[in-house]
Amino acid sequence: MKFAVLDFETTGTQSVGEIIQVGLAIIEEDRSISRVYGSYVKPGTPIPPFITGLTGITDDDVKDAPELDEMMMELVPLLDDVVLVGHNVAFDFHFLQNALDRCGYLPFQGRILDTIDFLKICFPSLTSYQLGSVSAHFGVTHDRPHQADSDALATALVLLKCLEELYSLPLLTIQRLCELFTEEDSDLGWYFDGLLREREAETLQPEGDLTFYRQLALAVGDWNELAPPRDEHAENPLQNLSFTDYMDEVTKRLKDTLPQYESREAQDIMINEVITALAEDKHLLIEAGTGTGKSLGYLLPAIYQSVRTNEKVMVSTHTINLQDQLRERDIPLLTQVVPFPFKAAIFKGRGHYLCLRKFEHKINKKDFISPREDALTAAQMIVWLTQSESGDDEELNLSGRGGDFWETVASDTDSCLGRSCPWFRKCYYHRAKHEAGIADVVITNHSKLFADVKAGHQLLPAYEHLVIDEAHHLEDVAGKHLGMHMKHFTVAHTLSRLYKDSRNGQLPTLRQMLQSSGSEEASEWSGVIDRIYPDLLTVKETWDLLSDKLFSLLPERSNAAAEEAGQLVMRLLPTRKPKDWDELVALENTINLTLSEIIRKGDKMLNEMRDQEGQSSSDSLVTDISGLFKDLASIREQVRFFMGLNDENVVYWLEANGNYRSKSLQLYAVPVDVSTQLKELFFHKKKSIVLTSATLSVDKSFQFMIDNLGLNEAAEEGRLMTSLLPSPFKYREQALLVIPRDFPSVKGSVGDARFVDTLVQSLAEAAITTRGRMLVLFTSYKMLRQVYDPLKEALASQEITVLGQGVEGGSRSKLIRRFQDSAASVLLGTSSFWEGVDIPGEALTCLAIVRLPFQPPNHPLAEAKSELLQAQKKNPFMKLSVPQAVIRFKQGFGRLVRTAQDRGIVIVYDTRVIESHYGKYFLYSLPGPKMEHMLTDQMVPRIAEWLEDGGVS
């Protein structure tokens, strides 16, 4: 099989345009690259500046180039009897067919393969499939990205990497891949068919250290073989080791392991505060800014405490990112430096783990919704099983519909067969649970912490000591979990999984099975299923109608401060129910009664089936259906609770997106004040809780957090320690904060023309001075949209790219990666970019904060909290709005200086920080950067001067 790897550069990025350069690399049958052909092509039109910016190809380069027909005379003979390959091949193929047609050749009839498909299958955990980042990952030298001959060669080398990987996989995996693609008559299917025949002819097959079970090759064995970290009968390694001696030993080993390690004052203080709190059963609030090394600051004492007393310490993070960072970076380091064996386990929410039973069933039955995409996702996962130890979806790069696919194969409580599942000993979720059971320190997240409390402590192993990182999110997460939140889609999705139409859905599948068994009970049960169908339709129709009516209560346009485009929000008050609410309650009543009927009939039937032994083939189906009935029961309760609108201490509101209308409806009911529940569930019950984050204090005081988290009583009893750690950075030398004092101000979340023009001009000048490397934080998505196009235009000639959240598509992490990979770019972000974004070093030099991050005051939850404060004769603006905004502002500021070497500039365009009486709280809460205010037109020269002073060009 001979491959020709093709790449065109063209004057347009879509399918229109002229070819300006061609690159072709030929791979021979022995997998050697025999030649690389490259040529410029003279287009009939000038090259747009954007394309020159992307490819570096100018009109000068192509003015003496061959015309299209001359180039095609050289290219066409090279395409004889080859398999055509491209990176995103549809694009190049379209241009090829067009050129063949224009120059009078027959269309290309051969096979076509796409390296993106190969990469997804062979390397399912790569974070990006862009040619540039893939080449970097494999160490393929890709000297001129976006130049055709260089791209073609890089693509050819990437293809060879994929082929090498395919030849190292066990034969069983190749057989399974081949089955996935047999149905569709595709070139990919043809390739795998050929590969399988070739592989079957080989005498020696690679096996690696894999486990082969039920026709799948896995990287994991049985989890019950995992041993605890230390022998239970041996003496405790800490019996005669004081904490000081332990830390001396750890520090010595840290210096041996990391030559650049130096102990930091703030980290030492933190370690001592945390061990004191854990050992003396006290609670601790500790603010540790960037660079403190707070993960080690709490993990080192947690390990000591846990191993010494034989009591688990639970660690909870808000984001999965931080959990993964602890797993990939901090725990491996600690394993090297702690002088005795210990175990730290990561335990996520159940939906993050693959259920092998569901996956096996899905690929055996080819239960695919969109055959081509689902077959690709399944192929990615079959290869991933030969690599993954954890079965955790965060390791997979699932694109497009991959997320929907995952939902159907994720582990969940209600459809788990437990010990009677054939996969039980290989199960990823039970492996994680078992690991957490034998671990000294268990790392979980806030969501799972509350889910565990709600489930009567059935999910997590028992613990008395808890460390909460990213603790400034605790209150929000508590509200979401202690209240309720449901989406229109959740209900619709559950109903359609049970019954989509007479052929699709779990119930029709069960009915088909019963029909084929032909027993007497089977026909009785089929009758029950037939009687359930119309009820399910009633629920679906009534729910759609109720959703429409609820949606029509929402105001026609979104309030100006709404976070994202088209988000509509509306609060419902128990004391002032909307008119005609009774009609809606009647619909809820229909849903309630019909669901109760369905669940009664369904559960009775499923219990009869369970009593009947020998229903083995439908076992797993019965479990799945019974799980869906449990979901219906919880939907029934939640809708009743929401529509009841009768709890004065709960805030009820609706949210939806104007573009997707009632399909995007979400119902929320959240307690106004969670402090009492937090106190009762956690601070009273547990021996010691350490709360840490870079942002817990406002104006050097912890009172805001103490009030909101229910820590007042602990403080009165002397059980609460607080600590504000000194910053490890020299902020006066590392950060300059400038405020243009004559900058126009804004009312609401949309800027007027003068504001937007001034902002775009100022951002563009600053970006040119800092060569891009700039993050701009907005508080409203609308304003981001207003700035995006004009800024992109202003910077196009400077070859500085502008990336906008929500404008480009792609997830937050993809945008950040693009920002880091491109030489000069400006990234515009809203809410989710204010925190948790880590861009150390040169990639980020300038941070611009457009507005102070006040929450929209008309958000239902903020409104209800304000009312509560007013009732207590307190000022909601000073007690709630300002502290929340200060914490967010500190988070935003924290993006800039990530290491002791970073230097950078912060521009605050919101003059309220120097004009208003509350502005000082924002500035005083920062860790001491150099602050200057000046006229707008003095700003850029000052920035340039400051950057040069630091020896940073």
Side-chain angles (χ1 to χ4, degrees):
M1 195 181 304
K2 188 166 152 187
F3 298 103
V5 184
L6 178 67
D7 186 75
F8 286 126
E9 297 303 331
T10 63
T11 56
T13 48
Q14 266 22 76
S15 49
V16 288
E18 296 286 327
I19 296 172
I20 51 176
Q21 193 187 24
V22 58
L24 187 78
I26 302 286
I27 301 177
E28 299 293 340
E29 291 181 7
D30 63 357
R31 290 197 255 161
S32 63
I33 297 178
S34 59
R35 71 170 288 188
V36 178
Y37 165 76
S39 168
Y40 285 123
V41 180
K42 188 175 189 171
T45 54
I47 298 174
F50 164 70
I51 295 290
T52 298
L54 184 70
T55 59
I57 301 173
T58 63
D59 288 327
D60 274 359
D61 292 329
V62 295
K63 69 172 193 289
D64 303 325
E67 302 271 345
L68 185 67
D69 359 4
E70 289 175 62
M71 182 277 289
M72 291 299 281
M73 277 166 70
E74 294 183 2
L75 184 70
V76 170
L78 299 174
L79 295 178
D80 191 32
D81 201 22
V82 295
V83 176
L84 190 69
V85 179
H87 196 71
N88 197 358
V89 72
F91 174 85
D92 303 289
F93 182 63
H94 172 89
F95 277 99
L96 175 68
Q97 294 294 48
N98 195 345
L100 288 167
D101 184 45
R102 278 167 58 184
C103 300
Y105 295 96
L106 289 170
F108 179 82
Q109 299 284 4
R111 302 275 182 184
I112 305 166
L113 296 172
D114 196 326
T115 40
I116 292 187
D117 293 342
F118 278 96
L119 280 166
K120 282 181 177 171
I121 296 169
C122 300
F123 303 101
S125 301
L126 274 182
T127 45
S128 158
Y129 295 119
Q130 268 188 306
L131 188 58
S133 43
V134 171
S135 310
H137 175 82
F138 291 133
V140 168
T141 47
H142 186 194
D143 45 357
R144 300 190 317 286
H146 299 299
Q147 289 247 343
D149 51 342
S150 175
D151 279 356
L153 178 60
T155 307
L157 293 167
V158 164
L159 177 67
L160 290 174
K161 275 276 184 235
C162 294
L163 300 183
E164 202 178 302
E165 187 67 15
L166 287 172
Y167 281 85
S168 73
L169 288 170
L171 182 63
L172 175 62
T173 303
I174 300 294
Q175 286 166 333
R176 297 305 308 249
L177 290 173
C178 196
E179 279 162 30
L180 281 175
F181 298 110
T182 48
E183 299 293 295
E184 39 163 349
D185 172 32
S186 71
D187 291 349
L188 200 58
W190 164 82
Y191 173 79
F192 275 105
D193 192 48
L195 175 71
L196 179 63
R197 283 205 295 273
E198 188 183 335
R199 287 288 308 272
E200 282 175 339
E202 288 169 18
T203 41
L204 277 173
Q205 294 290 348
E207 299 249 315
D209 296 334
L210 299 174
T211 310
F212 296 90
Y213 184 68
R214 291 178 70 105
Q215 298 302 300
L216 285 173
L218 307 170
V220 292
D222 290 6
W223 54 255
N224 55 341
E225 291 164 7
L226 293 170
R230 296 170 302 283
D231 180 5
E232 280 147 39
H233 307 298
E235 69 168 50
N236 188 322
L238 290 175
Q239 208 161 343
N240 303 314
L241 196 62
S242 71
F243 185 67
T244 318
D245 295 344
Y246 157 81
M247 279 310 301
D248 289 346
E249 178 63 27
V250 167
T251 311
K252 192 168 116 321
R253 288 170 171 237
L254 270 170
K255 286 182 175 147
D256 296 344
T257 315
L258 304 171
Q260 75 281 24
Y261 176 80
E262 51 201 51
S263 75
R264 315 176 204 177
E265 180 201 7
Q267 192 179 45
D268 295 344
I269 301 175
M270 179 164 183
I271 288 171
N272 289 320
E273 295 274 323
V274 174
I275 193 69
T276 307
L278 292 174
E280 296 178 9
D281 291 351
K282 290 186 170 165
H283 302 319
L284 166 66
L285 275 172
I286 182 162
E287 179 170 285
T290 320
T292 309
K294 67 176 174 297
S295 321
L296 295 192
Y298 57 71
L299 287 171
L300 282 167
I303 293 166
Y304 180 86
Q305 173 70 17
S306 165
V307 172
R308 177 158 192 157
T309 58
N310 223 352
E311 289 186 344
K312 258 185 227 324
V313 177
M314 190 65 61
V315 172
S316 176
T317 70
H318 174 56
T319 52
I320 299 281
N321 277 359
L322 179 58
Q323 239 179 342
D324 291 340
Q325 176 199 309
L326 293 175
R327 177 179 63 197
E328 286 154 24
R329 199 179 73 188
D330 300 317
I331 291 167
L333 172 65
L334 288 169
T335 310
Q336 291 178 290
V337 300
V338 168
F340 48 82
F342 73 93
K343 182 164 183 61
I346 303 275
F347 197 19
K348 296 185 178 178
R350 189 156 190 164
H352 285 291
Y353 300 99
L354 177 71
C355 168
L356 284 160
R357 173 183 70 78
K358 289 186 190 174
F359 180 65
E360 174 191 36
H361 180 81
K362 191 174 177 87
I363 57 174
N364 288 352
K365 289 268 179 297
K366 290 216 173 153
D367 171 15
F368 297 158
I369 296 168
S370 43
R372 168 150 171 91
E373 271 192 85
D374 284 359
L376 247 176
T377 305
Q380 276 187 282
M381 288 168 75
I382 284 173
V383 173
W384 173 62
L385 292 179
T386 66
Q387 304 161 354
S388 177
E389 306 252 321
S390 67
D392 172 352
D393 67 337
E394 300 282 326
E395 299 175 354
L396 273 173
N397 182 349
L398 296 174
S399 46
R401 292 248 176 77
D404 299 344
F405 184 102
W406 177 267
E407 274 190 10
T408 61
V409 293
S411 170
D412 75 284
T413 322
D414 295 332
S415 64
C416 178
L417 295 174
R419 293 182 179 283
S420 56
C421 177
W423 291 96
F424 181 64
R425 289 176 188 283
K426 307 273 186 290
C427 170
Y428 295 114
Y429 170 73
H430 282 97
R431 163 180 289 265
K433 190 170 179 169
H434 174 72
E435 287 193 347
I438 57 175
D440 302 300
V441 174
V442 178
I443 296 166
T444 185
N445 50 40
H446 300 354
S447 288
K448 185 140 181 131
L449 211 54
F450 286 104
D452 175 57
V453 170
K454 272 170 92 173
H457 302 289
Q458 297 297 301
L459 304 179
L460 291 170
Y463 63 95
E464 287 295 332
H465 300 86
L466 168 65
V467 176
I468 297 178
D469 197 345
E470 301 178 295
H472 59 285
H473 285 291
L474 189 66
E475 188 192 354
D476 281 352
V477 180
K480 285 204 178 74
H481 281 267
L482 300 171
M484 66 141 277
H485 167 211
M486 70 186 291
K487 304 175 177 179
H488 169 87
F489 174 72
T490 317
V491 181
H493 185 62
T494 310
L495 292 168
S496 73
R497 279 185 65 187
L498 270 168
Y499 172 74
K500 198 169 187 179
D501 52 48
S502 57
R503 279 197 310 283
N504 295 301
Q506 305 278 40
L507 284 172
T509 311
L510 179 62
R511 195 180 180 288
Q512 281 156 5
M513 264 185 194
L514 292 169
Q515 295 271 267
S516 58
S517 81
S519 70
E520 200 162 307
E521 288 109 332
S523 64
E524 210 173 293
W525 291 330
S526 299
V528 175
I529 293 177
D530 289 339
R531 289 196 291 282
I532 289 178
Y533 289 164
D535 284 348
L536 284 168
L537 286 174
T538 305
V539 174
K540 186 182 179 320
E541 285 160 11
T542 318
W543 172 245
D544 284 343
L545 188 58
L546 178 60
S547 296
D548 282 339
K549 286 198 181 298
L550 285 169
F551 180 80
S552 65
L553 296 173
L554 287 159
E556 267 310 297
R557 44 182 295 280
S558 65
N559 52 16
E563 211 15 86
E564 303 299 329
Q567 257 335 79
L568 308 169
V569 181
M570 154 109 181
R571 181 174 170 197
L572 299 171
L573 293 157
T575 46
R576 292 207 305 272
K577 294 183 174 138
K579 71 175 182 33
D580 304 334
W581 187 250
D582 296 350
E583 281 179 34
L584 279 70
V585 172
L587 291 173
E588 184 276 327
N589 204 30
T590 307
I591 292 176
N592 200 296
L593 294 171
T594 318
L595 281 176
S596 301
E597 244 333 76
I598 293 171
I599 294 163
R600 191 183 60 74
K601 287 180 198 154
D603 281 345
K604 180 169 175 285
M605 168 183 77
L606 296 177
N607 287 332
E608 287 170 8
M609 287 184 180
R610 283 201 189 91
D611 296 343
Q612 271 258 319
E613 289 306 314
Q615 282 288 337
S616 61
S617 61
S618 59
D619 254 0
S620 63
L621 198 55
V622 167
T623 308
D624 288 348
I625 293 173
S626 141
L628 288 167
F629 282 146
K630 283 186 189 148
D631 291 344
L632 290 181
S634 97
I635 286 168
R636 177 185 64 187
E637 306 315 318
Q638 289 189 309
V639 178
R640 169 130 296 181
F641 173 66
F642 184 87
M643 295 299 295
L645 281 190
N646 51 13
D647 189 336
E648 296 277 336
N649 303 314
V650 168
V651 197
Y652 300 89
W653 78 91
L654 301 167
E655 273 185 36
N657 184 301
N659 309 329
Y660 300 102
R661 313 206 48 91
S662 63
K663 296 273 179 287
S664 63
L665 189 73
Q666 306 192 56
L667 316 179
Y668 288 88
V670 173
V672 184
D673 178 20
V674 289
S675 63
T676 318
Q677 281 162 290
L678 284 174
K679 182 175 72 184
E680 286 161 6
L681 294 169
F682 290 102
F683 300 116
H684 269 191
K685 284 233 172 84
K686 304 293 176 196
K687 288 182 181 168
S688 163
I689 298 183
V690 173
L691 299 117
T692 182
S693 147
T695 52
L696 288 175
S697 69
V698 174
D699 196 20
K700 313 286 185 269
S701 150
F702 285 106
Q703 201 51 49
F704 178 66
M705 283 294 167
I706 293 175
D707 291 341
N708 284 335
L709 297 177
L711 278 161
N712 276 314
E713 232 167 276
E716 286 155 24
E717 294 163 3
R719 277 194 66 208
L720 178 67
M721 303 161 47
T722 59
S723 175
L724 241 169
L725 297 178
S727 166
F729 297 148
K730 302 190 173 94
Y731 274 102
R732 282 197 70 73
E733 295 162 27
Q734 289 182 257
L736 169 71
L737 180 129
V738 283
I739 304 152
R741 58 169 178 262
D742 58 342
F743 208 76
S745 59
V746 185
K747 293 272 179 282
S749 67
V750 181
D752 54 36
R754 174 169 170 249
F755 176 83
V756 175
D757 292 347
T758 321
L759 180 61
V760 168
Q761 190 187 342
S762 176
L763 287 171
E765 289 171 3
I768 292 166
T769 312
T770 61
R771 310 245 188 332
R773 301 187 302 206
M774 179 180 200
L775 173 63
V776 187
L777 295 177
F778 291 84
T779 51
S780 94
Y781 182 68
K782 284 191 172 156
M783 200 181 287
L784 185 152
R785 293 296 308 240
Q786 283 181 300
V787 168
Y788 177 79
D789 286 324
L791 185 62
K792 201 166 184 144
E793 221 161 281
L795 291 173
S797 60
Q798 298 288 330
E799 294 186 13
I800 296 175
T801 336
V802 177
L803 305 170
Q805 178 191 0
V807 191
E808 310 282 321
S811 66
R812 178 176 94 149
S813 47
K814 284 205 176 112
L815 271 180
I816 291 167
R817 214 168 297 112
R818 281 183 59 191
F819 176 69
Q820 282 172 300
D821 289 347
S822 59
S825 56
V826 176
L827 174 57
L828 313 181
T830 66
S831 53
S832 59
F833 279 82
W834 282 77
E835 63 177 294
V837 173
D838 191 6
I839 310 173
E842 285 286 278
L844 181 61
T845 306
C846 181
L847 171 76
I849 292 178
V850 177
R851 310 281 324 268
L852 293 177
F854 282 105
Q855 277 199 321
N858 45 6
H859 187 279
L861 196 53
E863 218 171 64
K865 287 188 168 173
S866 302
E867 290 157 16
L868 187 65
L869 287 165
Q870 272 161 336
Q872 300 165 352
K873 302 272 183 284
K874 292 177 179 162
N875 173 346
F877 183 69
M878 294 308 295
K879 278 273 178 227
L880 180 72
S881 305
V882 171
Q884 274 181 340
V886 167
I887 283 175
R888 211 146 173 75
F889 181 73
K890 285 168 69 171
Q891 282 288 345
F893 177 85
R895 297 312 101 218
L896 186 69
V897 179
R898 307 298 294 173
T899 68
Q901 285 70 48
D902 280 2
R903 279 176 54 105
I905 289 154
V906 180
I907 307 171
V908 179
Y909 284 108
D910 193 329
T911 50
R912 290 177 295 181
V913 286
I914 46 180
E915 287 164 1
S916 66
H917 65 96
Y918 54 81
K920 58 174 187 281
Y921 292 113
F922 287 87
L923 299 177
Y924 289 163
S925 293
L926 293 178
K930 192 165 173 37
M931 300 187 199
E932 301 176 1
H933 51 87
M934 57 197 63
L935 297 171
T936 309
D937 51 14
Q938 297 168 335
M939 209 165 64
V940 168
R942 174 68 184 113
I943 291 175
E945 172 192 34
W946 189 83
L947 285 173
E948 275 162 26
D949 286 351
V952 178
S953 56

